[in-house]
């Protein structure tokens, strides 16, 4: 069973991945909204953007590490990686920073 903090952490990871290229594209926002509906209805993307900016600024590595380690469920991790790949490709461009983000999640989650 998923813990609430795992759901929150995963949604924050999604937002981080969406903004890693410094803008959220329309298709990325649509995918984020779908994930919010599926996982948790009271999650606000814009408030989360502001929160993440205040807490981490542009330090995506630290933010990724922090939230990635909160997701413990291995089956859920596999689903998250699949979704994050779709999210990274939503704007039809795969940026180096997105590749690094996905690679980091993959490496850390596959060690456990």
């Amino acid at each position: 069973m998923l813990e609430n903090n795992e759901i929150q952490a995963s949604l924050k990871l999604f937002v981080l991945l969406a903004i890693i290229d410094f803008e959220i594209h329309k298709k990325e926002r649509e995918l984020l909204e779908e994930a919010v509906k599926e996982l948790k209805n009271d999650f606000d993307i814009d408030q989360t953007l502001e929160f993440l900016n205040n807490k981490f600024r542009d330090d995506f590595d630290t933010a990724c590490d922090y939230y990635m380690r909160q997701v413990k469920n291995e089956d859920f991790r596999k689903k998250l990686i699949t979704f994050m790949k779709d999210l990274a490709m939503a704007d039809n461009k795969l940026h180096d920073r997105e590749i690094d983000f996905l690679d980091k999640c993959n490496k850390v989650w596959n060690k456990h």
Side-chain angles (χ1 to χ4, degrees), residues 1 5 12 27 53 56 68 76 91 106 108 110-112:
M1 179 171 236
N5 67 324
K12 288 176 181 160
K27 183 66 176 166
N53 184 46
F56 296 102
M68 181 178 38
F76 189 52
D91 64 352
N106 229 352
V108 170
N110 286 323
K111 283 183 185 177
H112 294 72

Side-chain angles (χ1 to χ4, degrees), residues 29-109:
R29 173 147 316 250
E30 290 171 5
L31 287 173
L32 286 171
E33 289 170 356
E34 286 176 27
V36 168
K37 284 180 187 174
E38 185 174 328
L39 295 173
K40 187 172 183 75
N41 287 323
D42 64 346
F43 183 90
D44 186 287
I45 295 167
D46 295 314
Q47 284 180 350
T48 301
L49 282 167
E50 188 175 326
F51 169 79
L52 292 170
N53 184 46
N54 289 334
K55 184 168 183 168
F56 296 102
R57 301 278 176 216
D58 291 337
D59 188 354
F60 295 106
D61 285 334
T62 299
C64 179
D65 289 341
Y66 181 77
Y67 293 112
M68 181 178 38
R69 296 190 194 294
Q70 293 179 30
V71 181
K72 307 286 186 203
N73 184 298
E74 288 185 36
D75 290 332
F76 189 52
R77 287 176 176 172
K78 290 175 187 173
K79 291 178 184 175
L80 296 181
I81 287 290
T82 299
F83 177 80
M84 289 193 300
K85 288 177 185 175
D86 292 341
L87 183 61
M89 288 300 301
D91 64 352
N92 295 320
K93 296 176 190 169
L94 192 56
H95 301 275
D96 289 342
R97 293 176 68 141
E98 292 169 325
I99 293 169
D100 293 344
F101 191 98
L102 291 170
D103 191 46
K104 176 181 259 198
C105 290
N106 229 352
K107 285 179 181 174
V108 170
W109 285 345

